[in-house]
Amino acid sequence: MNNNEILLLKLGEVVLKGLNRRSFEDKLVSNVRRRMKHCGSFQVYIRQSTIYVEPQTEECDMEAAYKAARQIFGIVTVARAVPCDKTMDAIVETAKTYLADEFAKAKTFKVESRRADKQFPMNSIQISQYVGGELAQFFHKKAEMHTPDLTVYVEIREKHAYVHAPSVPGAGGLPIGMGGRAVSLLSGGLDSPVSSYMIARRGVELEMVHFVSPPYTSQQALDKVLELARLLTVYCGRMIVHIIPFTEIQEEIRRQCPEEYFTLIMRRFMMRIAQAIAKDHGAKCLVTGENLGQVASQTMDAMAVTGAVVDIPMFHPLIGMDKEEIVTRARKIGTLETSILPYEDCCTVFTPKHPKTKPVLALVEAEEAKLDVDALVADALANTEKVAIRYYED
């Protein structure tokens, strides 16, 4: 590691915002500062659509900071860079030293320059030609403009010049906290963690709801869900998981209602409870991992019946994705291995052999009328357990 190394975080769609762009930038800088706390003492500030993350002590963990920066919504690319004086000699010498290991592995290279400081006496093409010529002579490497093994980046900014190798992709999206608050229904499967990630990527803060049905579901199943929530906090930030006791509701449905309606009525209870939690915590919508046509309860008719019990929006980020796309995203965000652990969840309890795929709302409501809906919902809410999940200690 170079002791002068810093991080350059480039903003994504935040730069397209109009008069409220400043509020997005302020929130993003605040989020970056929070995520950097566990890595050491860093100065974090923004200039010209770039967030600078500068270590203040030798104890700063740059590897951890580099990893964390790539998981912050609102950041589109992350680069490790070294600042230097704004002279051509300083830029060339910095590139020779900082990128020596990269040049040792490359046969060809090119230099790309950006001159944000328009007062600098050379333009971007001239900078690239000069630096490229010096590096080619020093390392005895061939310049290749189309498919180089290594691209050297030079940025001329307000106070310093910066030299770095290629950036890596960030998480993209919008800063957490700018998109409102939602309640996401989190099961132990593949879909709901991915849907939670995708809505959080639009800047949405999340409250999580999970339903348990002991003795039909185990402590291991609950631990699995809490681990999924912990994995999501890497991107979504700290959150509360509301653990809802659901056994009594499911057993009452089984006693009172025809088997083919069980899943539909069960999900309607889930939506009622999730909406109550949303309204208590200032959340404006519900988020589910439903995917059109994936299972019997996710037909267009079934989803309409399920959603009829709530009066706030329901978002389904996975609605048009196929299973392969969901698996790919789960692997990318790190939830796949936990999601496929073979522990049951309450959605698999008392699963009907022949569920209704084209239910009629009036008929579902007639069967549901056999139940004391309000009392069952109130009892579940009264016995809810809340678990605070943090990836890092704040």
Side-chain angles (χ1 to χ4, degrees), residues 293-311:
Q294 183 170 251
V295 296
S297 64
Q298 295 175 17
T299 65
M300 196 174 295
D301 298 279
M303 290 173 68
V305 167
T306 298
V309 297
V310 300
D311 55 20

Side-chain angles (χ1 to χ4, degrees), residues 188 210-226 243 247 250 341-349 385:
H210 177 67
F211 296 87
V212 294
S213 297
Y216 308 107
T217 60
S218 65
Q219 181 62 43
Q220 288 175 310
L222 174 57
D223 291 342
K224 169 185 172 180
V225 169
L226 295 178
I243 302 170
T247 307
Q250 289 186 294
L341 293 174
Y343 303 128
E344 70 293 320
D345 62 49
C346 71
C347 293
T348 61
V349 176
E385 178 186 356

Side-chain angles (χ1 to χ4, degrees), residues 4-233:
N4 295 322
E5 193 175 48
I6 71 168
L7 301 179
L8 300 178
L9 317 184
K10 301 299 178 70
L11 278 58
E13 60 185 290
V14 168
V15 302
L16 303 177
K17 299 300 177 183
L19 298 177
N20 61 345
R21 173 175 168 175
R22 179 63 180 271
S23 61
F24 281 80
E25 291 180 342
D26 289 347
K27 174 57 73 172
L28 184 50
V29 169
S30 175
N31 291 349
V32 173
R33 286 177 179 149
R34 182 180 300 112
R35 288 299 304 275
M36 292 300 142
K37 282 183 179 179
H38 75 281
C39 304
S41 176
F42 287 85
Q43 183 182 10
V44 179
Y45 59 94
I46 185 169
R47 287 198 181 99
Q48 297 176 309
S49 302
T50 298
I51 293 177
Y52 296 75
V53 180
E54 299 182 356
Q56 301 299 293
T57 67
E58 293 184 0
E59 287 71 34
C60 289
D61 188 340
M62 287 297 292
E63 289 294 338
Y66 184 54
K67 179 179 179 181
R70 303 199 306 268
Q71 298 168 328
I72 300 171
F73 291 132
I75 302 300
V76 68
T77 63
V78 180
R80 302 174 76 146
V82 169
C84 63
D85 292 337
K86 291 197 295 186
T87 67
M88 297 310 298
D89 287 345
I91 292 169
V92 170
E93 288 305 312
T94 299
K96 287 179 182 178
T97 303
Y98 183 53
L99 300 177
D101 291 343
E102 299 297 326
F103 270 99
K105 296 180 286 186
K107 293 182 178 180
T108 61
F109 80 102
K110 72 174 180 178
V111 177
E112 288 192 4
S113 302
R114 181 188 177 201
R115 186 184 62 152
D117 177 7
K118 301 306 180 185
Q119 303 301 312
F120 193 77
M122 299 173 69
N123 63 32
S124 297
I125 294 175
Q126 291 170 331
I127 296 169
S128 295
Q129 289 174 338
Y130 182 87
V131 175
E134 294 293 314
L135 295 177
Q137 184 176 357
F138 182 80
F139 288 109
H140 305 290
K141 302 293 183 179
K142 180 181 177 181
E144 166 58 57
M145 297 300 105
H146 301 294
T147 56
D149 297 328
L150 171 64
T151 300
V152 177
Y153 291 88
V154 176
E155 300 190 30
I156 309 295
R157 292 184 166 269
E158 183 181 9
K159 292 185 176 181
H160 301 284
Y162 297 88
V163 176
H164 61 88
S167 304
V168 296
L174 295 172
I176 291 289
M178 296 305 296
R181 180 179 290 271
V183 164
S184 184
L185 281 73
L186 183 64
S187 73
L190 275 166
D191 300 339
S192 60
V194 176
S195 68
S196 299
Y197 166 90
M198 292 181 68
I199 201 69
R201 194 170 182 266
R202 303 312 302 159
V204 177
E205 291 183 287
L206 295 178
E207 296 272 341
M208 296 297 196
V209 169
H210 177 67
F211 296 87
V212 294
S213 297
Y216 308 107
T217 60
S218 65
Q219 181 62 43
Q220 288 175 310
L222 174 57
D223 291 342
K224 169 185 172 180
V225 169
L226 295 178
E227 173 62 11
L228 287 171
R230 189 192 69 81
L231 293 171
L232 287 171
T233 61

